[in-house]
Amino acid sequence: MDKPVYRAWFQSIHDPSERFSLDEVVYKASDGSLLEVVHDLEALGETSAESWKKLFRERSHATEWPYGSGVWGKKEWVLPGVDNENVVSMYEGHSNLFWADRYGRQLGIEDLWIKQCGNSHTGSFKDLGMTVLVSMVKEMISEGKAIPAVGCASTGDTSAALSAYAAAANIPAVVFLPRGKVSVAQLIQPVSNGAIVFALDTDFDGCMEIVREISDRDGIYLANSMNSLRIEGQKTVGIEICEQFDWEVPDWIVMPGGNLGNVSALAKGLDMAFDLGLIGRRPRIICAQAESANPLYLSYLKDFEVFEPIAARPTLATAIQIGNPVSIDKAIAALRRYDGIVEQASESEIADACARADRTGLFNCPHTGVALAAMEKMIRRGEIRKGERVVVVSTAHGLKFTDFKVKYHEMNLEGIGSEYPNPAIELPARYEDVRDEMMRQIERRFRS
Ligand SMILES: *Cc1c(COP(=O)(O)O)cnc(C)c1O
């Protein structure tokens, strides 16, 4: 029997008759709504669920390019048409599921796991989507399309991922950052990878306006999350979580949300696994927002019947300080399908949840802290129960966000009380003093 031909195309989320080829430079439908990548499920369904599982498992241990990547191991489900020669991969995905045994017990649950998406090439889940987008761009360039560069507006993780993948593929990258509003760690990744880095006198939205104009007028390929190619890579996270539990579906998956591409992607991947029979039920999804940037939460309180953009206020979770999320329609549809819940967390809840979990061996970024804080609240309210399996998606590595941790432990975070501070102890180098203080500290830690 011939191998089925797997096809995928861009489709308007509001009008299924409006379709584009994946190698067209197009970001939105004619009515301005987002596009999504749609796959020919019938062709994919000709292979049995068991055969897909076996294939995915075999590839995860293989070295054959590019299938050892967590994203490209599922190539037929992600971007079937791209030539393997044009795939730009850093073997992203397959990130660890951390069994948060001690932290979970402290909270009164026993089956808590953290999906460590920050343990990745550039330190955030953005790698999962960027490998797909940059591979498509490489394919388009190889077909002779005139794409002078790829570009994005960003405050950190998106520009880091774009810069790394573009550098590996020898494609020029342009990133637009708000001047003075990004940390050293966030600035230095694109700088090191040789991207053209602009620090503009504006905020994120101002950068977004510039990159859209540049993309419209000068043909720079737009890599922000309205580009639905990224969703195709990011959607592997939910499939991979189920795979790591030998296709048992957890009860809850918790994830922070800003522009809401990632929560839409999580649901999209789970949809495919469900529709193709690899999983037999759907988990419930909790999307967590910072109180300072909570437009989805406010809409949730009104059963998603209305949505109003807000002006997001500063938050420790800088990557989700977004008041008018691009993927709002996709996210609301996803949460409806997954009996979803939206919860919010205050700045001190975020900081304390990070610190409490860090004490048990993790090292959380503030966005992960938003998800942890939301989960803690739901456990306290009895909405998440003891026997249930909970997976929290950690979106970035804590090492990218050390400033707030330093301040937290020095008890220097404005307006935040630091419930779990652990500042370094400064003493003269004298044995007796050091020993006495050490004994006091050991004693204190034993008691707590
Ligand atoms: C991008 C990002 C998010 C938010 O993802 P959205 O798709 O915008 O909701 C959360 N955490 C980190 C670390 C990020 O980089």
Side-chain angles (χ1 to χ4, degrees):
M1 202 180 83
D2 282 346
K3 253 181 121 180
V5 177
Y6 302 113
R7 292 179 322 115
W9 56 89
F10 286 128
Q11 185 170 306
S12 159
I13 60 170
H14 291 138
D15 175 9
S17 72
E18 195 177 358
R19 295 181 176 189
F20 305 91
S21 161
L22 294 183
D23 61 3
E24 271 179 73
V25 178
V26 54
Y27 313 108
K28 289 203 163 176
S30 53
D31 66 353
S33 57
L34 291 182
L35 300 170
E36 63 181 334
V37 176
V38 175
H39 292 263
D40 180 354
L41 282 185
E42 216 169 290
L44 291 168
E46 282 176 32
T47 299
S48 71
E50 286 315 309
S51 302
W52 284 122
K53 290 178 186 177
K54 186 161 169 282
L55 184 68
F56 294 163
R57 187 165 50 240
E58 283 167 4
R59 283 178 176 170
S60 69
H61 301 291
T63 49
E64 190 196 345
W65 178 264
Y67 300 107
S69 149
V71 172
W72 297 104
K74 302 179 171 65
K75 186 182 178 205
E76 295 83 353
W77 292 32
V78 170
L79 195 64
V82 76
D83 195 325
N84 283 351
E85 296 266 305
N86 288 326
V87 169
V88 185
S89 170
M90 299 178 184
Y91 275 33
E92 48 292 308
H94 294 313
S95 57
N96 178 38
L97 252 184
F98 177 102
W99 182 24
D101 185 32
R102 182 175 166 207
Y103 176 50
R105 281 174 198 282
Q106 285 175 0
L107 302 176
I109 61 172
E110 287 168 354
D111 204 358
L112 174 60
W113 305 75
I114 317 289
K115 177 67 172 162
Q116 297 281 45
C117 291
N119 292 357
S120 181
H121 191 76
T122 71
S124 86
F125 76 83
K126 298 293 199 294
D127 291 349
L128 299 174
M130 220 45 98
T131 181
V132 175
L133 182 140
V134 175
S135 298
M136 197 64 235
V137 172
K138 191 171 175 199
E139 175 122 324
M140 289 191 280
I141 291 173
S142 78
E143 288 167 352
K145 288 223 161 65
I147 296 175
V150 288
C152 72
S154 167
T155 55
D157 295 329
T158 301
S159 55
L162 180 64
S163 303
Y165 282 86
N170 193 19
I171 298 169
V174 197
V175 307
F176 299 89
L177 305 168
R179 190 167 78 91
K181 296 194 176 74
V182 300
S183 72
V184 175
Q186 290 172 319
L187 186 61
I188 201 62
Q189 285 182 296
V191 164
S192 304
N193 288 140
I196 303 162
V197 181
F198 286 106
L200 304 182
D201 269 322
T202 178
D203 56 7
F204 172 79
D205 295 320
C207 290
M208 198 61 231
E209 260 172 54
I210 293 280
V211 77
R212 286 175 90 148
E213 186 166 359
I214 294 233
S215 140
D216 270 358
R217 296 169 63 161
D218 305 289
I220 302 297
Y221 192 79
L222 191 61
N224 279 97
S225 70
M226 72 193 57
N227 188 322
S228 58
L229 287 171
R230 281 178 43 196
I231 302 294
E232 290 312 288
Q234 288 172 211
K235 81 182 178 194
T236 57
V237 67
I239 308 171
E240 203 172 279
I241 287 169
C242 296
E243 191 176 14
Q244 283 169 308
F245 288 121
D246 207 12
W247 302 102
E248 258 180 49
V249 179
D251 297 295
W252 300 95
I253 300 181
V254 195
M255 171 187 275
N259 242 335
L260 305 178
N262 210 29
V263 74
S264 315
L266 169 68
K268 190 166 192 252
L270 292 166
D271 283 342
M272 277 185 93
F274 184 80
D275 291 341
L276 293 167
L278 281 73
I279 56 174
R281 66 183 185 102
R282 295 175 196 269
R284 292 187 71 186
I285 292 178
I286 302 165
C287 184
Q289 294 210 294
E291 247 174 56
S292 308
N294 63 352
L296 182 70
Y297 177 74
L298 296 176
S299 171
Y300 170 74
L301 294 181
K302 296 179 176 159
D303 288 324
F304 296 130
E305 261 145 38
V306 284
F307 172 78
E308 283 166 32
I310 62 163
R313 286 163 286 132
T315 165
L316 294 172
T318 47
I320 57 174
Q321 188 187 329
I322 293 169
N324 191 13
V326 169
S327 296
I328 183 71
D329 293 348
K330 286 184 182 177
I332 288 177
L335 288 166
R336 287 196 161 128
R337 287 199 303 285
Y338 282 80
D339 199 3
I341 289 179
V342 186
E343 184 52 87
Q344 64 173 0
S346 69
E347 295 301 296
S348 40
E349 287 167 341
I350 295 167
D352 283 329
C354 277
R356 186 181 297 127
D358 284 0
R359 283 281 179 100
T360 67
L362 288 151
F363 194 72
N364 296 291
C365 80
H367 321 87
T368 306
V370 174
L372 297 175
M375 174 195 67
E376 289 187 8
K377 286 178 163 180
M378 290 189 52
I379 294 171
R380 280 200 296 274
R381 288 201 302 259
E383 289 175 74
I384 294 176
R385 287 189 299 267
K386 192 168 186 168
E388 294 179 321
R389 174 169 290 171
V390 184
V391 179
V392 175
V393 176
S394 172
T395 47
H397 202 295
L399 283 173
K400 292 183 93 170
F401 300 89
T402 50
D403 294 1
F404 92 100
K405 286 186 190 287
V406 173
K407 290 194 187 125
Y408 180 91
H409 288 290
E410 289 173 347
M411 303 177 72
N412 260 334
L413 268 186
E414 222 175 294
I416 290 175
S418 300
E419 237 184 277
Y420 306 90
N422 185 30
I425 300 157
E426 294 178 7
L427 275 184
R430 267 195 307 273
Y431 170 75
E432 282 79 12
D433 295 351
V434 171
R435 185 204 49 204
D436 290 353
E437 182 57 24
M438 181 185 74
M439 289 307 183
R440 250 197 309 279
Q441 292 289 340
I442 290 174
E443 166 77 5
R444 230 186 68 193
R445 278 165 174 73
F446 256 112
R447 273 188 279 117
S448 62

